[in-house]
Amino acid sequence: MPIRILSPEVVSKIAAGEVIERPASVVKELIENSIDAGASEIKVEVRQGGRRLIRVIDDGRGIPAEEVELAFERYSTSKLKDAEDLYRIATLGFRGEALPSIAAVSKVTMVTRTKEQEIGVLLRLEGGKVIKRQKKGALRGTVVSVEDLFFNTPARLKFLRKESTEARHISDLVTRYALAYPSMRFSLLSEGRTLFRSTGSGSLYDVLIEVYGLETARQMLEIAPLQEPVPSQRDPKGQGSRPKGIPREGMREEAEGLKISGYVGAPSLHRASGRYLTILINGRWVRDQLLGYAIKEAYHTLLPKGRYPVAVVRVALSPQEVDINVHPAKAEVRFRRSGEVFAAVQKAVRHTLKGAPIPVVAPPRWTPEPRLPTSLRPSPGQMALEVQRTEEIAPSKNIPPLRVLGQLGLTYIIAEGPEGMYLIDQHAAHERVLYERLLGERAKMAVSSQSLLEPLSLDLSPEEAAIVEENLDTLRSWGFDLEPFGGQTYLLRAVPAILKEGDLSQAMREVIDEASRQAGRWEEEFVISLACHGAVRAGQTMSEGEMRELVRQLEKTNSPRTCPHGRPTMIHLSAEQLQKEFGRS
Ligand code: ADP
Ligand code: MG
C-alpha cells in the first residue's frame, strides 16, 4: 500500500485508545475535570461496570454555553495558555484530549451551567459528532453521561474484563481520588447501590476510615514532619520535649517546596498486594515505581517477606519540579530531582515508623444516659466522626472482670463491675470474640471448618460467581470448601465452624455480597461479615452459663470495647452516675 494520511476519524479513535483504555479511564478523566472545575461534591454513577453508563455530576464552575462544543474539540483546553505553562502545570488536565477522546468512542451527553448563566445547555454527541444541542434548566455545574462505551470500536470492547472487574477498577479509582481530596465529597453508585461515599470533612484520616475501615485506619500513623535542620535552643536535639499534640513548627521545607505528608500503616499492618499503597503527587494519583520502592524500602525488615504496606503518601512540590507530560493517561510523572524526592519520601516514612508513637483510637466516650441506653450507640458513621486520635491514651485494652446479672430484652447482658453497671450488647460482643478468633486461626492457617453431611448446591448470580471464582483459595483458607459444579453453580462442602447453625446458603451469599461491595478490602469485610453471621443474634435467649462464657471470652480479646464494625460492645453506667441519678451524692 502506498503511504497515506489516516482519516481524522481513524486518528481520533487511535488517540482515544491512548487515553481511554477502559471504563475506569473515563471516570478518571471526568473526575479530574470536576476537580479542576473547583467542585466540592463529585457523584459518580455507573451501570454494568461502566460499559452501559458512566455519569459524573459535579457542582463546579461549569462551561459557558458558547464554549461547550469547543470543549469536545481536540487540543482545546482552558488550562494552558502557552508552551511556558507546560512547565508549571497546576491542574490535573492540560492536554484538551479527554472529552474528545471519550466522545469518539461513546455516546456522550453533557449538561452544564455556569454561575453567570440562567439556563444551562445540553449537548449530545455520538461517536464524536454533535447530534443535539438545546437549552436546558440545570443546577450550576456539569453532568457528563457516557453511554455505550466503545460501541464503535469492537476490538476495544473485546478487551474489557468482567463487569465486576471493571466496577472494581472504578471503585478503586474513586477511593484514590477521595484520599487525594479529603475536602471534596465523593460518592460512587453502581447499579443504584452506594459503593462508597466520603464526607468531605477535610480530614484524610476520615477518608481512610471510609476507604479501609476503622480497624485498619486506627493502625495507621500520620507521617511526622521531618525535623528542622537547625535545632532550636529549647530543644537542642530537635526532638522530644515539645508537649504532645502541639504541631511542631518550622519544619524543614526542601528548597523546591518538597513536602511529604499522609499516613503509613504500622508495621503490623500489611497486605498481600501492593494495591494498598496510594502515591499522590500534587493531588494526582500516580503509579510511581520509584516512590513505591522508596516506601517499601522504608519498611525494610519491618514487614514479613512478600507483604506490602498500607499507606497514603502525599508528595507536594513546586509544579516546575515535576513533568506530568510523559504518559498518555498521566499516570506516571518524571521528577527533575528524583534522587531528592526518593530520599525525602523514604526518610519521612522511616522516621514515622521509627519515632512516632502508635496513634490509638480513644474508646468511645461512655455518656451514661440511663433512660435510653440504645440511643447511646453511635452509628458507624458517627463513630468515624467522633474518633479521636491521641497519643496519650493507651488502647482500652482491658475491661474489668464482670459478674453477669442477667439478660435484658433478649439483647443485652447486664453485668456488674468494680465501677458500676455494664450493659453488653450480646451480638456485638460475640462478633468481637468470633472476629478475633477467626483472625487468630487464620494467622495460623487453621480456621476450624465443619464438613456438611450433604453438600449444599449454590446457584450464584454472575457477579457472585465471579467473586467466588476469583477467591476460591481465600475462601478455602477461611473454612469454606466450595467446588465448581459447572456454570454459576457451586457445591458447598464445608463451612467455617462458627457458622454451624441457620441457613447456610443464605449466610454464604450475604457474606459474599457484603464483602464484594467493599472493593479493595474484600477479605477484611468478609471476616467481619462472617463473624457477624456466626454471632448470637439480638432476641436470642442466652443461659447464664452462656453469658458468663461470652463475657469471659470478651475480656480476653484485644479490643473488647468495640465490635469489628466499630460499634461499642458495652455501655457503662458508673457507680458515681448512679448515685447522682438517685440523688445520693
Ligand atoms: P483538559 O482537562 O485537558 O483541559 P478536557 O478535554 O478534559 O481537557 O476538557 C476540555 C475543557 O472542557 C477543559 O479545559 C475545561 O475548560 C472544560 N471542562 C471539562 N469538564 C469540565 C467540568 N466538569 N466542569 C467545567 N469545565 C469542564
Ligand atoms: Mg481533562
Side-chain angles (χ1 to χ4, degrees):
M1 266 202 316
I3 298 177
R4 276 182 311 171
I5 293 177
L6 292 172
S7 75
E9 211 197 324
V10 177
V11 171
S12 74
K13 281 184 186 169
I14 293 173
E18 300 237 298
V19 185
I20 306 301
E21 220 186 327
R22 58 180 353 149
S25 337
V26 174
V27 177
K28 174 175 191 282
E29 295 297 337
L30 295 181
I31 286 185
E32 290 191 349
N33 280 348
S34 298
I35 294 170
D36 283 344
S40 57
E41 174 161 23
I42 299 175
K43 296 191 228 171
V44 181
E45 286 173 32
V46 299
R47 298 219 168 253
Q48 295 179 10
R51 225 174 190 177
R52 172 81 205 78
L53 172 76
I54 294 166
R55 178 174 291 139
V56 174
I57 305 170
D58 72 48
D59 60 355
R61 62 182 77 90
I63 305 178
E66 61 281 9
E67 291 177 14
V68 178
E69 278 89 350
L70 197 55
F72 286 90
E73 297 279 332
R74 282 199 79 195
Y75 314 124
S76 65
T77 177
S78 58
K79 301 169 194 176
L80 284 188
K81 277 194 310 289
D82 48 42
E84 272 302 292
D85 280 356
L86 260 182
Y87 300 99
R88 41 164 190 263
I89 292 166
T91 48
L92 295 170
F94 53 90
R95 293 200 192 113
E97 267 185 330
L99 290 182
S101 297
I102 295 168
V105 292
S106 68
K107 302 169 185 169
V108 179
T109 310
M110 176 186 268
V111 176
T112 185
R113 183 173 75 79
T114 61
K115 188 167 80 214
E116 292 75 24
Q117 275 158 331
E118 261 162 41
I119 188 143
V121 51
L122 176 151
L123 192 73
R124 178 157 173 100
L125 301 92
E126 282 184 14
K129 299 203 172 59
V130 176
I131 59 160
K132 192 197 251 177
R133 180 194 219 272
Q134 65 188 49
K135 289 192 173 164
K136 174 128 179 104
L139 294 173
R140 191 194 99 148
T142 304
V143 179
V144 182
S145 308
V146 177
E147 290 163 276
D148 300 335
L149 183 64
F150 300 139
F151 79 101
N152 55 355
T153 50
R156 291 223 144 252
L157 201 55
K158 262 207 300 241
F159 275 102
L160 288 189
R161 309 284 293 277
K162 285 183 302 233
E163 267 173 35
S164 58
T165 309
E166 297 299 341
R168 213 160 310 146
H169 280 285
I170 292 173
S171 140
D172 189 43
L173 193 110
V174 174
T175 55
R176 310 271 184 173
Y177 275 93
L179 288 167
Y181 295 88
S183 57
M184 292 182 190
R185 219 148 15 114
F186 285 87
S187 60
L188 171 62
L189 249 75
S190 173
E191 309 298 336
R193 253 186 0 190
T194 301
L195 294 191
F196 173 78
R197 173 187 300 261
S198 71
T199 59
S201 69
S203 139
L204 174 56
Y205 192 76
D206 285 349
V207 190
L208 282 176
I209 295 173
E210 283 140 10
V211 176
Y212 295 122
L214 186 60
E215 290 284 318
T216 299
R218 68 198 297 185
Q219 296 175 64
M220 297 187 75
L221 316 167
E222 183 162 14
I223 293 179
L226 291 175
Q227 301 295 329
E228 216 176 339
V230 186
S232 73
Q233 280 186 321
R234 262 193 60 224
D235 192 5
K237 286 195 185 122
Q239 60 191 0
S241 63
R242 187 177 291 101
K244 285 172 180 169
I246 294 178
R248 299 162 201 195
E249 285 171 320
M251 281 312 113
R252 179 166 63 154
E253 269 187 38
E254 305 277 329
E256 69 291 59
L258 182 63
K259 264 196 196 133
I260 319 290
S261 64
Y263 282 83
V264 292
S268 54
L269 180 69
H270 43 76
R271 295 282 185 269
S273 90
R275 284 201 342 234
Y276 297 82
L277 177 58
T278 302
I279 298 173
L280 304 167
I281 294 167
N282 286 348
R284 184 187 301 276
W285 174 40
V286 296
R287 288 163 222 276
D288 194 288
Q289 298 232 344
L290 182 83
L291 294 189
Y293 184 67
I295 296 163
K296 264 218 93 176
E297 275 293 288
Y299 277 90
H300 190 60
T301 73
L302 298 175
L303 291 184
K305 267 226 152 63
R307 303 289 292 182
Y308 296 81
V310 180
V312 178
V313 176
R314 300 191 279 202
V315 179
L317 74 180
S318 142
Q320 283 110 312
E321 292 290 334
V322 50
D323 186 1
I324 310 153
N325 201 7
V326 293
H327 185 269
K330 300 165 287 178
E332 285 164 22
V333 298
R334 201 180 291 139
F335 295 106
R336 210 143 68 111
R337 283 173 259 208
S338 57
E340 266 185 50
V341 181
F342 183 96
V345 166
Q346 193 184 29
K347 208 160 139 196
V349 175
R350 191 78 190 171
H351 172 69
T352 306
L353 292 175
K354 270 201 180 144
I358 295 179
V360 294
V361 176
R365 268 204 301 132
W366 314 132
T367 36
E369 170 59 74
R371 277 173 301 263
L372 281 170
T374 45
S375 71
L376 296 179
R377 297 203 236 126
S379 68
Q382 261 175 311
M383 272 288 293
L385 296 176
E386 281 167 21
V387 161
Q388 310 163 348
R389 274 156 299 128
T390 146
E391 293 172 357
E392 275 91 359
I393 301 175
S396 60
K397 219 172 137 64
N398 296 313
I399 50 173
L402 300 175
R403 186 168 74 90
V404 170
L405 300 175
Q407 196 186 18
L408 176 73
L410 297 182
T411 302
Y412 308 105
I413 299 168
I414 311 170
E416 176 191 40
E419 266 139 35
M421 190 185 104
Y422 294 79
L423 274 179
I424 301 167
D425 181 316
Q426 64 193 40
H427 175 68
H430 198 201
E431 232 176 19
R432 164 55 64 186
V433 168
L434 292 181
Y435 174 70
E436 292 199 7
R437 182 191 301 165
L438 276 169
L439 288 185
E441 289 180 350
R442 175 66 219 274
K444 291 186 229 134
M445 295 303 281
V447 175
S448 356
S449 177
Q450 174 147 328
S451 298
L452 303 181
L453 287 177
E454 264 185 53
L456 202 71
S457 129
L458 292 177
D459 291 316
L460 303 176
S461 74
E463 205 181 0
E464 289 167 342
I467 290 160
V468 167
E469 187 195 320
E470 264 172 49
N471 297 285
L472 263 185
D473 286 341
T474 312
L475 287 166
R476 216 158 271 152
S477 66
W478 287 109
F480 284 101
D481 190 359
L482 280 155
E483 194 182 296
F485 199 63
Q488 282 148 223
T489 307
Y490 281 80
L491 284 187
L492 183 60
R493 296 194 173 276
V495 295
I498 63 158
L499 282 187
K500 44 194 172 296
E501 286 151 32
D503 181 348
L504 290 174
S505 72
Q506 182 63 19
M508 172 81 205
R509 224 172 259 280
E510 279 172 27
V511 163
I512 289 176
D513 184 50
E514 276 161 48
S516 71
R517 260 182 263 164
Q518 312 288 332
R521 30 191 275 240
W522 190 89
E523 213 171 331
E524 230 172 294
E525 281 307 312
F526 179 77
V527 201
I528 295 178
S529 178
L530 208 55
C532 179
H533 276 276
V536 60
R537 316 247 122 221
Q540 228 165 295
T541 317
M542 291 184 80
S543 72
E544 212 184 305
E546 285 170 332
M547 290 192 281
R548 268 206 307 272
E549 180 57 20
L550 176 54
V551 171
R552 201 183 57 78
Q553 289 178 358
L554 182 66
E555 285 166 5
K556 284 201 282 193
T557 60
N558 286 320
S559 316
R561 298 201 172 199
T562 52
C563 79
H565 299 98
R567 280 203 301 125
T569 51
M570 58 175 72
I571 58 171
H572 174 202
L573 185 53
S574 70
E576 202 182 31
Q577 183 73 16
L578 277 171
Q579 276 186 335
K580 219 165 86 196
E581 290 294 327
F582 285 109
R584 284 176 163 277
S585 48

